[in-house]
């Protein structure tokens, strides 16, 4: 907020300076003559305001005099009313002169009307007196401002400063500066309020994204943590990033694999799925083990993310099932040696959800296989619980935390809960909503924890690169 206010002040100052420079550049007359004209205008304005002040003073005196007269009239009417009340008598009304009592009642009514009219006039006079007093104060302020302007203009000898003074003290200079400052400060909040209340209802009512209808196939997590042990059955092979392999049985056949899937070269390069280590279990009846440990830019085992490696999770995808996963979180794959890895690419250019989330492509990893998922902020598998009313389970996750989800789950963005956090820029407008039975993977730790200091330029470049990866589903 402070930076935005400083930026608004700087831009407004530059605008006023440009305005003053434009006046200076387009003034072909003599500077002394221009100053004399401005002084004459200022003097005429001061004389007009002084006359207005005198007229306002006279009006205030007249209003005060009339107010006193009306108050005196109210006091006299009240005394007359009290006198007429004292002359009232029910006994005289029935045994005495009824005409005298009726005359007394009539005079009392006339005095009450006089009192009511005078009271209403007093209220109107007091409001007029307040307005006149405020007008007098404004006139005195304007008179003092014009006097200071005349003094500053007479003492000013620099042409640029003279034009800057004209712009600032003119009719529209300050108004432009304050209006620009107010619009600059309020526009983000107004725009975000409009998006929150007007745009999101249209978006969340669109049809959700669902890439597969096989809801009867359940995914499972075999293990998760900083280090996981993967068992390779006979005829299975493991393709993983070389830095993850901590130990492996000597009986495993080893070789290098250039990339994970030749059909998607851009995905392999952008997500660093090249020069993989391939471990194959060629034994006919024995199970082999491979231990994988998360790697990352931060080494060690501290409680903070800055001193912790990435965490791993082994997701089992059975036959007929599939997992939608961003390949940047993929660290390895376990599959049958004689069966290729099936990866399907889904483009959603005409989906409203794709435009609001910024992801137009989704990669679907089909089973049977086991996927090793790595997350620098941890990996957590969520399974939405069944609802008691029999309706589909629903669960939300923050958009930055979502890593992948079952292809049978219905996925769509939903409006963030906290309007205040969104208006302050602490959270995006949309969260991810998952409807139906299945599984989705999220990161454990909150956004903003564990950032390493590599300079603002590199952090900016990393943010741009992550956004480009999300556009292409990586």
């Amino acid at each position: 907020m402070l930076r935005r206010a400083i930026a608004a002040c700087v831009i407004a100052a530059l605008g006023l300076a440009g305005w003053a420079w434009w006046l200076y550049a387009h003034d072909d007359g003599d500077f002394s003559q221009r100053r004399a004209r401005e002084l004459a205008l200022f003097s005429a304005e001061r004389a007009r305001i002084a006359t207005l002040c005198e007229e306002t003073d006279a009006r205030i005196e007249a209003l005060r005099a009339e107010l006193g007269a009306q108050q005196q009239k109210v006091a006299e009417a009240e005394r007359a009313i009290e006198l007429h009340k004292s002359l009232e008598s029910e006994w005289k009304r029935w045994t005495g002169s009824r005409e005298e009592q009726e005359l007394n009642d009539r005079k009392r009514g006339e005095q009450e009307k006089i009192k009511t009219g005078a009271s209403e006039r007093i209220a109107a006079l007091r409001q007029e007196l307040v307005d006149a007093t405020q007008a007098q104060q404004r006139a005195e302020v304007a008179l003092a401002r014009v006097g200071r302007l005349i003094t500053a203009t007479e003492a000013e000898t620099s042409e640029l400063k003279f034009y800057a003074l004209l712009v600032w003290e003119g009719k529209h200079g300050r108004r432009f500066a304050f209006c620009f400052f107010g619009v600059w400060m309020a526009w983000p909040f107004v725009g975000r309020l409009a998006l929150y209340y007007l745009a999101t209802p249209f978006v969340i009512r669109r049809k959700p994204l669902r890439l597969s209808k096989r809801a009867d196939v359940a995914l499972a997590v075999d293990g998760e943590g900083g280090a996981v042990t993967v068992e390779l059955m006979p005829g299975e092979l493991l393709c993983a990033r070389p830095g993850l392999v901590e130990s492996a049985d000597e009986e495993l056949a080893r070789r290098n694999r250039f990339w994970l899937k030749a059909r998607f070269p851009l995905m392999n390069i952008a997500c660093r799925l090249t020069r993989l280590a391939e471990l194959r279990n060629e034994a006919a009846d024995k199970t082999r083990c491979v231990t994988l440990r998360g790697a990352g830019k931060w080494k060690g085992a501290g409680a903070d993310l800055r001193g912790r490696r990435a965490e791993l999770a082994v997701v089992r995808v059975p036959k007929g099932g599939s997992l939608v996963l961003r390949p940047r979180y993929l660290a390895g794959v376990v599959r049958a040696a004689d069966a290729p890895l099936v990866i399907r690419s889904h483009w959603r250019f005409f989906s409203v959800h794709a435009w609001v989330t910024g992801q137009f492509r989704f990669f679907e990893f089909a089973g049977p296989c086991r996927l090793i998922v790595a997350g620098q902020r941890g990996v957590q598998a969520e399974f939405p619980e069944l609802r008691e009313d029999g309706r589909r389970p629903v669960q939300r996750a923050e958009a930055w935390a979502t890593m992948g989800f079952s292809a049978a789950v219905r996925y769509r963005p939903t409006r963030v809960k906290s309007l205040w956090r969104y208006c302050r820029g602490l959270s995006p407008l949309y969260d991810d909503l998952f409807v139906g039975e299945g599984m989705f993977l999220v990161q454990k730790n909150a956004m903003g924890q564990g950032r390493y200091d590599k300079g603002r330029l590199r952090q900016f470049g990393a943010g741009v690169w992550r956004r480009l990866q999300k556009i292409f589903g990586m």
Side-chain angles (χ1 to χ4, degrees):
M1 185 65 69
L2 179 60
R3 292 181 180 179
R4 190 169 188 84
I6 294 175
C9 293
V10 170
I11 295 175
L14 291 177
L16 294 177
W19 189 355
W21 176 262
W22 187 88
L23 291 177
Y24 169 74
H26 289 77
D27 190 6
D28 298 332
D30 186 25
F31 169 65
S32 59
Q33 296 178 357
R34 176 62 184 271
R35 185 172 61 176
R37 289 197 305 269
E38 295 295 335
L39 286 173
L41 293 176
F42 294 152
S43 299
E45 181 69 12
R46 181 170 61 179
R48 185 187 69 81
I49 297 175
T51 303
L52 180 62
C53 288
E54 295 176 357
E55 295 175 354
T56 305
D57 290 339
R59 177 171 173 74
I60 290 175
E61 293 298 329
L63 290 173
R64 287 175 177 172
E66 186 179 357
L67 180 62
Q70 294 295 330
Q71 290 175 344
Q72 181 67 25
K73 186 184 293 187
V74 169
E76 293 175 357
E78 288 178 347
R79 287 195 297 269
I81 291 172
E82 293 296 329
L83 178 62
H84 291 299
K85 283 183 178 180
S86 64
L87 296 177
E88 290 182 353
S89 174
E90 291 294 331
W91 175 257
K92 291 181 179 180
R93 187 181 298 276
W94 294 100
T95 61
S97 176
R98 179 174 295 183
E99 290 78 7
E100 292 181 1
Q101 293 298 320
E102 291 178 353
L103 179 61
N104 185 58
D105 293 342
R106 187 166 55 253
K107 290 183 177 180
R108 176 187 171 187
E110 292 176 356
Q111 293 298 324
E112 288 179 349
K113 289 182 180 179
I114 292 174
K115 178 184 176 182
T116 302
S119 299
E120 294 177 354
R121 181 56 182 164
I122 287 174
L125 287 173
R126 285 176 176 172
Q127 184 61 41
E128 292 181 9
L129 187 60
V130 170
D131 296 340
T133 304
Q134 292 177 353
Q136 183 187 32
Q137 293 175 353
R138 290 194 296 268
E140 290 175 353
V141 171
L143 185 62
R145 185 179 67 85
V146 174
R148 292 194 303 269
L149 187 58
I150 291 175
T151 303
T153 304
E154 291 175 346
E156 190 59 61
T157 58
S158 172
E159 296 186 31
L160 289 178
K161 291 183 179 180
F162 169 73
Y163 286 104
L165 184 65
L166 287 183
V167 169
W168 179 249
E169 297 291 345
K171 294 183 178 180
H172 305 294
R174 292 185 182 180
R175 185 180 303 174
F176 162 77
F178 292 126
C179 290
F180 177 81
F181 182 83
V183 171
W184 182 271
M185 296 298 294
W187 173 248
F189 297 98
V190 174
R192 287 173 178 172
L193 283 174
L195 289 176
Y196 191 85
Y197 286 108
L198 300 179
T200 51
F202 170 78
V203 173
I204 62 180
R205 291 188 179 97
R206 300 303 97 189
K207 184 179 179 181
L209 175 68
R210 191 184 187 191
L211 302 180
S212 175
K213 296 183 179 181
R214 292 290 303 274
D216 56 330
V217 181
L219 280 63
V221 177
D222 290 346
E224 58 180 290
V228 294
T229 300
V230 179
E231 296 183 352
L232 295 181
M233 305 299 292
E236 286 187 337
L237 63 84
L238 166 67
C239 290
R241 298 178 183 177
L244 299 180
V245 180
E246 184 178 50
S247 62
D249 292 344
E250 293 294 335
E251 292 79 4
L252 293 173
R254 300 169 181 259
R255 53 168 291 189
N256 293 328
R257 190 180 184 88
F258 185 69
W259 48 29
L260 181 66
K261 191 72 174 178
R263 181 185 171 188
F264 305 104
L266 181 61
M267 178 199 74
N268 296 320
I269 297 173
C271 300
R272 298 180 180 178
L273 295 175
T274 58
R275 294 179 293 177
L276 303 175
E278 182 178 293
L279 304 175
R280 186 190 303 259
N281 184 5
E282 297 180 348
D285 56 351
K286 290 186 179 181
T287 301
R288 305 300 182 186
C289 296
V290 180
T291 301
L292 303 178
R293 182 175 293 276
K297 298 182 177 68
W298 305 302
K299 311 300 182 184
D304 185 45
L305 244 175
R306 297 177 186 272
R308 184 170 25 167
R309 292 175 177 263
E311 294 187 10
L312 305 176
V314 181
V315 181
R316 182 179 295 274
V317 183
K319 185 177 181 180
S322 56
L323 177 70
V324 179
L325 181 69
R326 293 174 62 183
R328 68 187 296 258
Y329 298 116
L330 184 64
V333 177
V334 178
R335 61 177 177 85
D338 56 352
L341 178 64
V342 179
I343 304 177
R344 304 186 186 99
S345 174
H346 303 271
W347 289 94
R348 292 294 184 269
F349 285 111
F350 302 102
S351 172
V352 177
H353 304 327
W355 286 96
V356 299
T357 59
Q359 183 173 350
F360 296 90
R361 192 184 192 185
F362 298 87
F363 286 97
E364 178 187 1
F365 295 82
C369 64
R370 281 176 287 169
L371 304 177
I372 291 89
V373 181
Q376 198 71 54
R377 305 179 190 278
V379 183
Q380 182 174 346
E382 297 285 347
F383 297 88
E385 298 180 357
L386 295 176
R387 300 171 61 174
E388 296 180 357
D389 55 4
R391 302 175 65 182
R392 297 191 185 98
V394 178
Q395 193 162 344
R396 71 165 61 209
E398 296 185 60
W400 64 265
T402 302
M403 305 171 70
F405 53 90
S406 301
V409 172
R410 292 171 175 85
Y411 159 75
R412 66 174 176 84
T414 186
R415 186 168 62 184
V416 69
K417 289 183 178 179
S418 176
L419 171 63
W420 177 240
R421 286 183 57 83
Y422 168 64
C423 288
R424 292 173 59 194
L426 300 178
S427 65
L429 178 57
Y430 295 99
D431 286 341
D432 291 337
L433 190 71
F434 303 97
V435 183
E437 298 181 22
M439 181 193 72
F440 62 93
L441 300 173
V442 294
Q443 302 181 63
K444 293 181 181 179
N445 297 286
M447 190 69 169
Q449 296 182 9
R451 292 183 178 176
Y452 59 100
D453 186 13
K454 289 294 184 180
R456 293 185 179 272
L457 183 59
R458 292 193 63 177
Q459 289 185 2
F460 174 77
V464 173
W465 176 242
R466 284 195 299 269
R467 284 173 175 80
L468 288 175
Q469 284 184 315
K470 187 174 183 180
I471 291 175
F472 292 96
M474 296 184 290

